[in-house]
Amino acid sequence: MSSDTVAVIGGGPGGLRAAQGIADIGHKVVLVEKQRYLGGSPITQKYYGLTPRGEPAQPQIQQQIDLVMANPLTEVRLGTEVVAVDGEAGAFTITLRTEAARDETFECGAIIIATGFSHFDPGRSTQMYGYFEFPDVITQPDLEAMLSEQRVLRPSNGEVPERICFIQCVGSRDRQIGNEYCSKVCCGVASKEATELREMLPDSKVLIFYIDMRMYGYWENEIYWPAQEKHHIQYVKGLITEVLPKGDRLLVRGEDTTMGRPMEVLMDLVVLSVGMEPSPGTRDLARLAGVRQNKYGFIDAPGTPLDPVSTDREGVFACGAALGPADIEDTVSSAAGAAMKAVGYLRSRAVAKAN
Amino acid sequence: MSSDTVAVIGGGPGGLRAAQGIADIGHKVVLVEKQRYLGGSPITQKYYGLTPRGEPAQPQIQQQIDLVMANPLTEVRLGTEVVAVDGEAGAFTITLRTEAARDETFECGAIIIATGFSHFDPGRSTQMYGYFEFPDVITQPDLEAMLSEQRVLRPSNGEVPERICFIQCVGSRDRQIGNEYCSKVCCGVASKEATELREMLPDSKVLIFYIDMRMYGYWENEIYWPAQEKHHIQYVKGLITEVLPKGDRLLVRGEDTTMGRPMEVLMDLVVLSVGMEPSPGTRDLARLAGVRQNKYGFIDAPGTPLDPVSTDREGVFACGAALGPADIEDTVSSAAGAAMKAVGYLRSRAVAKAN
């Protein structure tokens, strides 16, 4: 390993795509992942279907993992954390710590940070909607895991829920908690999960309380129209103010802003559409690699939109949700962009040295 | 030129990024552009500022052009159209026709289609809002050109407009005209243009009539919040049914869906936020290269979301708005993805041949 190697930190969909791309074009890559397995959030959080078309997440991600593992130019380090980044562009030294707490180093010419996001913790919001009080208030990733297990039951009593609602923008578009940005994917994910619920529980009634439905591009025709017309999901433009217990159900209170009147509905299961925040790994890597973060803690790409993957430090690139809210297609695209920039950077140094 | 060359068709932001990426990693590329200049829509349509941060479009795109022109691995063919694609993956023969109608061919191993979009023609809509009747009804790209020339005047009388409104979703989210998809960028572009109008004409009043404001990700905090709080742009959730002349102004009629009441406002200038459709070049190339299109005529990427750039034909990739609605960041990212896939494909063939 040496200066013609690229280090990719993080083994989720972005890191996998970056590693695969680098190796496919003939460069060496070391892929470092903290967990003992590859795949990132889709695997850790047990995603059920991918947006927009609902293909099963696990086998799709497994295919990407297999491609990476099969390439002899790729070295994969699992259960391993980056604890130091020394040196400079073209000749970085990265110190790794394995679970056995044994430190070792390797050299690389460029670094790609693919450390992703964490779901917003509703315990941190002033609008927590009873997430820690009522077992039947869950989050989007909680529901994703239930869907994957084909067991969507009310945590309070193990019964099949009949009335289910989603509350959008939990931890997003919210100045009070400091997350003014939109998390981009939650409208599409809620609609996808709502569709999956209606398919799995045909007797259920599913509502989505939203501010704006951000079903951009093909999400409009591929997810949003069928959700309404084929799956009869009800979209209510409204602001939810509180979730209270009532009997063995949940009373969801707020305002229907289209009808301009207060609203109260009884629900069996309430799903909080929690937004994206930088993962602890993204914050750590930004600090270790010495790259600027934006006010939210995501990694800053000063050259956006025409160069959305270069950080403010030479030789260090980032991709996917380490840069901010991103859907899975955004993530693999920006990962390819980061891979290309990293290899292009190494090549430009090699050419300069040869001349 | 031969099988280790990649052909990139289309010299807009996507084609430029793809060509630059391929050359940066040491491969030969032929970039073919129908116009006599590079840059695509931002240059042809005289874009003023780029989303989300409003950097001047022309110099930013020019930088990309300069990078492409400076790379000795890149051959640029301007004023040239592709008229045939023969052969097969690894050994395509592309026939070019120059303006002098002289045909010539070259060989390449892989093809990237980067032929982009056209703005929706409001003459085709059943809701045309008087675009061809009233000179003060213009489109987003019309306004973009006015902003670039720093001359925003009412076409009818050359006066500075005081009251300006945008009508969103013209040619998008519309089953009647067959475009059910959302064009993704128009909410952000309208808000950006509205901000630029308020800066250029501080006495103006600017309204945006919308269905959902799709200000995804950082567009929320970088464009939408400042548009409202700093620039006092008024967002009205509503449906506009017609635009009529009244005196020397335009009467905009519809329903304010939040207030649940009919609405009539007098405007000096009405801007139609026209959506994206496949460009004629995208339709032509899909046919010539024999790749599948979706029902809207954009090129289909069957492996989306994890492989959003491969077409259904081996060795042929697509990027940017040739695949569907895309913002400029999406476009450069997917262009890098296509470049990486194309080079990876050529390398896998070379490796297979060597073994």
Side-chain angles (χ1 to χ4, degrees), chain A residues 187-188 190-196 198 206 208 213 215 219-235:
Chain A
C187 285
S191 300
K192 175 199 77 81
E193 291 181 352
T195 299
E196 291 161 346
R198 289 281 301 132
V206 182
I208 299 180
M213 276 317 288
M215 308 297 283
W219 287 21
E220 175 82 8
N221 53 299
E222 294 192 348
I223 307 178
Y224 191 38
W225 289 54
Q228 294 173 83
E229 299 186 343
K230 191 173 161 202
H231 303 289
H232 308 293
I233 293 154
Q234 269 185 269
Y235 287 83

Side-chain angles (χ1 to χ4, degrees), chain A residues 26 51 173 175 180-182 212-215 217-218 220-221 225 229 237 294 296 298 305 323-324 347, chain B residues 24 26 173 175 180-182 212-215 217-218 220-221 225 229 294 296 298 305 323-324 347:
Chain A
T51 48
R173 307 181 67 178
R175 181 171 282 162
E180 291 92 357
Y181 56 85
C182 156
D212 295 276
M213 276 317 288
R214 296 198 161 158
M215 308 297 283
Y218 292 141
E220 175 82 8
N221 53 299
W225 289 54
E229 299 186 343
K237 187 170 163 78
N294 66 21
Y296 310 114
F298 290 109
L323 291 160
R347 191 173 172 280
Chain B
D24 280 353
R173 305 181 68 178
R175 181 172 284 164
E180 292 91 357
Y181 57 86
C182 155
D212 295 276
M213 278 316 288
R214 296 199 160 155
M215 308 297 283
Y218 293 142
E220 174 83 10
N221 54 299
W225 290 54
E229 298 186 342
N294 64 23
Y296 310 114
F298 290 109
L323 291 161
R347 191 173 171 279

Side-chain angles (χ1 to χ4, degrees), chain B residues 42-336:
Chain B
I43 301 299
T44 306
Q45 309 265 356
K46 298 187 183 153
Y47 286 4
Y48 179 54
L50 296 177
T51 48
R53 296 176 188 167
E55 299 93 341
Q58 315 288 319
Q60 291 267 327
I61 300 292
Q62 191 57 50
Q63 270 182 28
Q64 304 301 311
I65 295 171
D66 294 346
L67 285 169
V68 166
M69 298 303 288
N71 197 311
L73 290 169
T74 308
E75 180 181 334
V76 177
R77 303 296 309 267
L78 298 177
T80 301
E81 272 191 85
V82 173
V83 291
V85 176
D86 297 301
E88 58 185 47
F92 290 112
T93 302
I94 293 187
T95 306
L96 301 177
R97 183 164 299 162
T98 62
E99 288 176 336
R102 204 162 49 86
D103 285 7
E104 56 185 286
T105 62
F106 74 96
E107 288 188 7
C108 64
I111 298 169
I112 295 175
I113 303 175
T115 41
F117 73 101
S118 291
H119 285 99
F120 175 76
D121 170 4
R124 193 164 83 65
S125 171
T126 52
Q127 287 270 31
M128 56 182 288
Y129 301 117
Y131 180 66
F132 290 106
E133 287 171 82
F134 315 127
D136 295 338
V137 178
I138 63 173
T139 63
Q140 275 190 357
D142 294 336
L143 176 59
E144 204 72 33
M146 287 184 182
L147 287 162
S148 283
E149 285 156 15
Q150 310 265 326
R151 277 174 61 84
V152 178
L153 301 173
R154 298 180 64 190
S156 67
N157 61 12
E159 284 175 14
V160 173
E162 282 167 24
R163 296 172 58 86
I164 306 162
C165 75
F166 291 77
I167 301 176
Q168 296 303 107
C169 300
V170 177
S172 306
R173 305 181 68 178
D174 186 336
R175 181 172 284 164
Q176 275 188 294
I177 57 156
N179 294 356
E180 292 91 357
Y181 57 86
C182 155
S183 288
K184 193 169 184 180
V185 305
C186 335
C187 284
V189 171
S191 301
K192 175 199 78 80
E193 291 180 353
T195 299
E196 291 161 348
L197 281 171
R198 290 280 302 131
E199 285 173 338
M200 209 174 279
L201 307 174
D203 295 330
S204 63
K205 191 169 169 65
V206 182
L207 287 85
I208 299 181
F209 297 109
Y210 71 96
I211 310 178
D212 295 276
M213 278 316 288
R214 296 199 160 155
M215 308 297 283
Y216 48 80
Y218 293 142
W219 287 20
E220 174 83 10
N221 54 299
E222 293 191 348
I223 306 178
Y224 192 37
W225 290 54
Q228 294 172 82
E229 298 186 342
K230 190 171 162 203
H231 303 288
H232 308 292
I233 293 155
Q234 270 183 268
Y235 288 83
V236 182
K237 187 170 165 75
L239 296 169
I240 303 304
T241 48
E242 55 184 347
V243 176
L244 299 167
K246 185 163 182 177
D248 74 340
R249 292 179 141 185
L250 294 165
L251 183 69
V252 177
R253 269 193 170 153
E255 190 197 342
D256 181 326
T257 49
T258 302
M259 306 304 282
R261 64 185 182 205
M263 168 176 67
E264 284 195 353
V265 286
L266 275 174
M267 289 288 146
D268 296 324
L269 193 63
V270 173
V271 185
L272 305 183
S273 292
V274 287
M276 290 189 176
E277 294 193 319
S279 68
T282 291
R283 294 181 192 272
D284 289 347
L285 254 293
R287 188 176 43 79
L288 292 170
V291 299
R292 198 168 63 209
Q293 296 165 268
N294 64 23
K295 65 179 278 202
Y296 310 114
F298 290 109
I299 291 168
D300 192 40
T304 237
L306 289 171
D307 175 8
V309 295
S310 297
T311 71
D312 65 336
R313 184 168 183 197
E314 192 182 327
V316 183
F317 307 91
C319 67
L323 291 161
D327 65 36
I328 198 151
E329 186 181 327
D330 296 334
T331 295
V332 298
S333 288
S334 80

Side-chain angles (χ1 to χ4, degrees), chain A residues 32 39 48 87 116 121 158 177 236 259 267 282 309 334 342 350:
Chain A
V32 182
Y48 178 55
D121 171 5
I177 58 157
V236 182
M259 307 303 284
M267 289 288 147
T282 291
V309 295
S334 80

Side-chain angles (χ1 to χ4, degrees), chain A residues 17 39 45 70 75 160 164 167 187-188 237 244 269 275 296 319 341 346 351-352:
Chain A
R17 180 72 192 93
Q45 309 265 357
E75 180 182 334
V160 173
I164 306 163
I167 302 176
C187 285
K237 187 170 163 78
L244 299 167
L269 192 64
Y296 310 114
C319 68
K341 281 275 178 188
L346 296 188
V351 169

